[in-house]
Amino acid sequence: MPDAPPGPLWLLAELTYACPLQCPYCSNPLDFARTRGELTTEQWIGTLREARQLGAAQLGFSGGEPLVRRDLEELVAEARSLGYYTNLITSAIGMDAARVRRLKDAGLDHIQISFQASDAALNDYLAGTDAFAHKVEMARAVKAEGYPMVFNAVLHRQNIDRTEEILALALDLGADYVELANTQFYGWAFHNRHRLLPTREQLRRSEAVANRYREAHGDRMKILYVIPDYYADRPKPCMNGWGQVFLSVAPDGTALPCQAARMLPGIEFPKVTEHRLAWIWNESPAFNRYRGRDWMKEPCRSCPERDKDFGGCRCQAWLVTGDPAGADPVCGLSPHRGLIDRVVEAVNGGGAGAVNAGGASAAAGAGTAGDIPAMLFRNARNSKALHS
């Protein structure tokens, strides 16, 4: 068993899978509707205390929509008393100016508001509800309370051509930080990837706009631009390595090295209701599964960059190749890179035969609407239908 690192630095508390939005790129598991039970306030407080004892310093409150939890302010106050730096990752639905103030009083450090697009029509179509006007109002309320406001927009083929309008909106709202995060293909996004992956030309234009805004407005807001994995030739160091710095706790108490990992086969992820976090982090088979190098296959095992990218993402390897211990297929050295290339070329008009999970062929056509499966929105009805 490899030596466990000293302790997690970042804790992601996924308080609930309940959410008023239906974003088709959501990272929640496709079978989220099967999840039964959420941790109680007392159980979450116990988890926060144990993680802090292990060394966790950054705490993200996420979901679903964390504002659904009526005990959010209580959890924020507990986190402040423990010494965490806290971040709320939210759609802003369920928030009003009074609640922003209560969260501030409770000690919340940071609020990130997600926008689906720069205008009400597209934003509300992607969200599945009338949300845009309220988001704008809440972004202004966040600024009024003196928060550093983080504006997040997940980019994909449906909205990436409006990058300039999205950045103009962020500038108008006084955003201090803007995250333009191109969709990474897990969860619902993987299911919808043929409708969400942008073309090369869309990506080129979008990046150019972001760079222009950096030059013109970099003194007012910092812009982070994240490209899709599928257009990279080297894997990202996912979570800085499995079980190295990141710990996620799902609504039902399942502890994970990343929020997508529960999809992986053959791993029984422990729950905080059944084990101490110290055991989970240091000794559990799940958190030790892909630590170190012993699990690596070629070409990762002998790759000189194996200590930089850690073999890439286990979830992506599983979704695309059916082998969670294989090289991340986005890597140019992976024997399965062709499975990614086929999807990319299909989206860019290169022909049929894009590949689904496990290498199963599916007609993706040449990227035309008639050839691509319809968008599946994230909601309980669709979750149940997928896993009936």
Side-chain angles (χ1 to χ4, degrees), residues 229-235 330-333 337:
D229 280 1
Y230 283 31
Y231 284 107
D233 62 3
R234 299 297 302 165
V330 305
C331 180
L333 300 176
R337 173 67 210 198

Side-chain angles (χ1 to χ4, degrees), residues 77-243:
E78 177 66 22
R80 167 49 67 94
S81 73
L82 292 169
Y84 282 103
Y85 182 88
T86 52
N87 179 25
L88 177 63
I89 303 164
T90 180
S91 68
I93 307 304
M95 182 185 282
D96 57 22
R99 195 165 193 191
V100 176
R101 201 165 305 116
R102 292 199 302 272
L103 289 166
K104 184 80 169 181
D105 291 342
L108 184 67
D109 293 299
H110 185 108
I111 296 178
Q112 173 183 301
I113 296 180
S114 65
F115 281 77
Q116 282 65 44
S118 56
D119 64 279
L122 183 56
N123 186 98
D124 296 349
Y125 162 71
L126 292 166
T129 187
D130 295 339
F132 182 76
H134 184 73
K135 286 173 178 285
V136 170
E137 181 184 355
M138 288 302 98
R140 298 196 189 282
V142 165
K143 286 291 293 185
E145 286 296 329
Y147 277 108
M149 205 273 281
V150 180
F151 179 110
N152 171 270
V154 177
L155 299 181
H156 44 77
R157 189 154 79 252
Q158 307 298 322
N159 68 1
I160 196 170
D161 290 331
R162 305 188 190 191
T163 299
E164 181 145 16
E165 291 84 352
I166 289 170
L167 285 169
L169 174 63
L171 193 65
D172 178 65
L173 292 174
D176 299 281
Y177 302 92
V178 179
E179 183 179 31
L180 299 177
N182 273 277
T183 303
Q184 307 299 340
F185 295 101
Y186 312 96
W188 294 81
F190 183 82
H191 189 90
N192 290 312
R193 63 183 176 160
H194 299 101
R195 288 217 177 252
L196 295 176
L197 183 66
T199 66
R200 291 188 185 92
E201 180 59 22
Q202 283 183 305
L203 189 63
R204 184 196 64 77
R205 291 196 304 263
S206 177
E207 282 192 281
V209 170
N211 288 333
R212 180 155 46 82
Y213 262 75
R214 282 193 187 107
E215 292 176 7
H217 306 290
D219 58 333
R220 293 178 57 186
M221 66 182 187
K222 298 187 184 302
I223 300 171
L224 175 66
Y225 194 96
V226 182
I227 69 168
D229 280 1
Y230 283 31
Y231 284 107
D233 62 3
R234 299 297 302 165
K236 63 181 181 292
C238 192
M239 300 300 171
N240 275 330
W242 178 281

